[in-house]
Amino acid sequence: MTQTWAPSSWRDRPAGQQPEWPDADGLDRALKQIESYPPLVFAGEARSLQASLAEVAVGNAFLLQAGDCAESFEEFSAVNIREKLRVILQMAVVLTYSMGVPVVKVGRMAGQFAKPRSSANERVGDEDIPSFRGHMINDAAPNPLARVPNPERLVQTYNQSASTMNLLRAFTKGGFADLNRVHAWTQEFVSSSPSGRRYERVAAEIARAMRFMRAAGIDTESNPNLSTVDVFTSHEALLLGYEEALTRQDSLTGGWYDCSAHMLWIGERTRQLDGAHVEFLRGVGNPIGCKIGPTTTVREVLELCQALNPAHQPGRLTLISRMGAGNVERVLPPLLRAVTDAGYPVVWACDPMHGNTYSAPNGRKTRHFDSVVAEIDGFVRAHRAEGTWPGGIHVELTGDAVTECLGGSDAVSEDQLDHRYETMCDPRLNGRQSLDLAFRVAELITNDQR
Ligand code: TRP
Ligand code: MN
């Protein structure tokens, strides 16, 4: 792993989960085009996220990484982006207020368009057709033509990411995220639920604190921290050609950065040590994540730390465990111990979604809110036992009132799944369930501190 690195050195390694593009020239053209486009993020922003994550690594901050399982070309509107941001901000307010530590906000947004699949084909009727791999590659419609990988989608991914990013910057810096507006973020449907009312109480307390500070001479004019937030972007770096095309040399430091997002992660299916994804991401300066599932061994996790963070930089590597509620307390502690003993300053985040997915009797893929909470509970217990910091959560959610995950304060049941099941991929927490979860997480972690 000490060989020289280049943005293209991944091409000599086996790369899992890459589509077979029938139009090789078209792919080339699309990638060249993207290579000539401006970066979506600036290297200095990625460094600033890494500095914030370094605070998470030492236990002084908490990471909230959240957004769609897969973003969609069709559901692309200002309202859609604003509602997702609104839920993330509401969760962040609850977590910041209850835990009393800064919350680092990272969206699965502005680039989360490619999905790894367990099988290359899907059975539809009596036909085998290529699996849906995300709008970056093909269309979800269940027919062979829609599933043909189309390189023009790469350019559209860039364009949609750019406008999403633009709107995120406008919302987070232009007044929408102002702490004087915590009340205004409450959607009607949220304020009528138990966690909505709980949120209203937090919002009222924050409004009082804001009035007090204004009276004491600290206002949003003199302190922009009160009126703006940093919401960073992230996605799974799956399609390496696209990531390579957006990898640029930073003029300040000379280092390489993948400027498609602030943070990139490696999926559980593509984290092979000698594989292309680890090779690509080890060379970029962005903070990176790696998912680790229930079969991860101590040896694997140490090798990943060495490959991805040989310099032991705090905040460089986030290990995102997705063990399943029934496994986490058994599988995680030895990993925590080994990484700590080896002196790697990682961020430990919990993805409580992907290890708890199952098919309901009607065939809908779903997750129960209680299993999501149970996995976070086990995650916090494991950290308590090892004396490490449960640094954050990584969740799939939407601002809409969908019925994709079961349970939560209004007890979505299996026979309600069909009402509003709108995800293109995995089931997401709806607005209420997300807010419920923020309160539960804050409780679990603050109990931990007592
Ligand atoms: N800038 C601070 C932060 O990001 C405070 C803040 C302003 C905030 N608007 C927010 C926190 C919205 C959470 C949500 O923490
Ligand atoms: Mn998913």
Side-chain angles (χ1 to χ4, degrees):
M1 277 293 178
T2 49
Q3 303 100 311
T4 54
W5 180 93
S8 63
S9 54
W10 63 271
R11 292 180 183 273
D12 300 331
R13 306 288 177 100
Q17 298 288 340
Q18 307 302 292
E20 285 182 27
W21 303 93
D23 178 8
D25 291 343
L27 175 63
D28 244 34
R29 246 180 302 154
L31 293 178
K32 288 246 159 55
Q33 208 169 351
I34 293 166
E35 221 179 281
S36 73
Y37 287 167
L40 295 173
V41 304
F42 167 57
E45 296 175 315
R47 281 193 290 274
S48 134
L49 172 57
Q50 183 155 315
S52 301
L53 290 171
E55 289 298 305
V56 179
V58 296
N60 293 334
F62 191 76
L63 169 65
L64 172 63
Q65 189 168 17
D68 265 316
C69 177
E71 287 173 280
S72 157
F73 283 178
E74 279 131 41
E75 259 148 58
F76 174 39
S77 69
V79 171
N80 187 283
I81 296 164
R82 189 194 65 212
E83 290 309 293
K84 222 170 299 165
L85 177 63
R86 188 209 297 262
V87 176
I88 293 174
L89 294 181
Q90 286 186 302
M91 292 179 79
V93 158
V94 168
L95 291 167
T96 311
Y97 190 79
S98 344
M99 291 167 58
V101 297
V103 172
V104 182
K105 304 147 199 86
V106 181
R108 284 175 67 112
M109 276 173 103
Q112 176 57 16
F113 291 97
K115 300 307 302 169
R117 302 315 305 254
S118 48
S119 164
N121 290 305
E122 181 190 347
R123 190 102 194 144
V124 174
D126 51 8
E127 207 182 4
D128 269 338
I129 67 170
S131 296
F132 173 55
R133 289 180 177 276
H135 275 167
M136 194 168 185
I137 294 144
N138 56 11
D139 191 72
N143 69 75
L145 210 62
R147 298 289 173 87
V148 177
N150 176 359
E152 280 165 26
R153 289 176 169 272
L154 296 170
V155 179
Q156 197 174 341
T157 292
Y158 174 91
N159 288 328
Q160 183 164 331
S161 299
S163 18
T164 304
M165 187 80 225
N166 181 52
L167 205 58
L168 272 182
R169 291 187 194 278
F171 282 142
T172 54
K173 305 295 174 191
F176 180 77
D178 194 325
L179 280 179
N180 288 302
R181 290 179 36 102
V182 277
H183 266 301
W185 299 334
T186 310
Q187 296 119 303
E188 207 279 307
F189 79 91
V190 166
S191 65
S192 64
S193 72
S195 58
R197 284 191 292 276
R198 221 168 147 188
Y199 175 81
E200 291 285 296
R201 285 197 293 276
V202 169
E205 286 178 37
I206 291 174
R208 262 173 85 109
M210 296 292 285
R211 277 199 304 280
F212 168 72
M213 284 193 287
R214 176 172 293 275
I218 305 163
D219 54 26
T220 49
E221 290 72 48
S222 60
N223 196 332
N225 273 332
L226 298 173
S227 57
T228 65
V229 286
D230 288 327
V231 174
F232 296 96
T233 61
S234 70
H235 61 261
E236 178 173 354
L238 189 70
L239 241 60
L240 294 173
Y242 178 85
E243 303 301 335
E244 179 189 343
L246 280 165
T247 296
R248 310 292 162 82
Q249 205 161 14
D250 174 32
S251 55
L252 288 178
T253 62
W256 291 97
Y257 284 81
D258 181 346
C259 297
S260 71
H262 298 111
M263 178 182 184
L264 290 312
W265 76 84
I266 307 177
E268 162 77 353
R269 293 188 180 88
T270 51
R271 60 172 173 78
Q272 299 77 19
L273 206 64
D274 54 355
H277 293 81
V278 168
E279 172 60 20
F280 176 74
L281 282 168
R282 80 180 173 94
V284 298
N286 311 58
I288 58 185
C290 186
K291 294 279 187 100
I292 50 174
T295 61
T296 311
T297 63
V298 160
R299 189 180 157 174
E300 279 169 356
V301 84
L302 290 177
E303 286 174 340
L304 282 167
C305 288
Q306 182 56 30
L308 296 170
N309 191 14
H312 294 232
Q313 293 166 19
R316 153 73 174 169
L317 179 61
T318 297
L319 292 172
I320 307 161
S321 69
R322 29 94 73 233
M323 302 299 181
N327 299 321
V328 59
E329 271 188 87
R330 175 177 49 84
V331 181
L332 193 56
L335 304 180
L336 299 178
R337 208 171 309 143
V339 170
T340 306
D341 288 350
Y344 290 106
V346 303
V347 170
W348 293 101
C350 175
D351 166 357
M353 314 290 295
H354 288 91
N356 299 303
T357 316
Y358 73 98
S359 287
N362 66 358
R364 295 290 197 187
K365 227 205 260 185
T366 191
R367 296 154 172 165
H368 202 290
F369 181 82
D370 294 345
S371 317
V372 170
V373 173
E375 175 147 3
I376 299 174
D377 187 24
F379 172 81
V380 172
R381 285 170 191 277
H383 280 280
R384 182 185 292 162
E386 297 303 321
T388 43
W389 171 239
I393 55 169
H394 179 122
V395 290
E396 293 182 341
L397 57 74
T398 167
D400 298 330
V402 299
T403 55
E404 299 170 4
C405 289
L406 303 171
S409 58
D410 20 67
V412 175
S413 63
E414 278 181 351
D415 47 271
Q416 290 170 333
L417 284 177
D418 281 333
H419 291 182
R420 280 195 69 181
Y421 195 95
E422 297 171 8
T423 182
M424 287 193 309
C425 201
D426 290 338
R428 303 161 297 177
L429 298 170
N430 63 27
R432 284 189 189 189
Q433 290 167 328
S434 301
L435 208 50
D436 288 345
L437 187 68
F439 281 109
R440 299 296 293 273
V441 169
E443 278 165 10
L444 291 172
I445 307 246
T446 49
N447 285 340
D448 185 47
Q449 284 166 341
R450 261 174 232 133

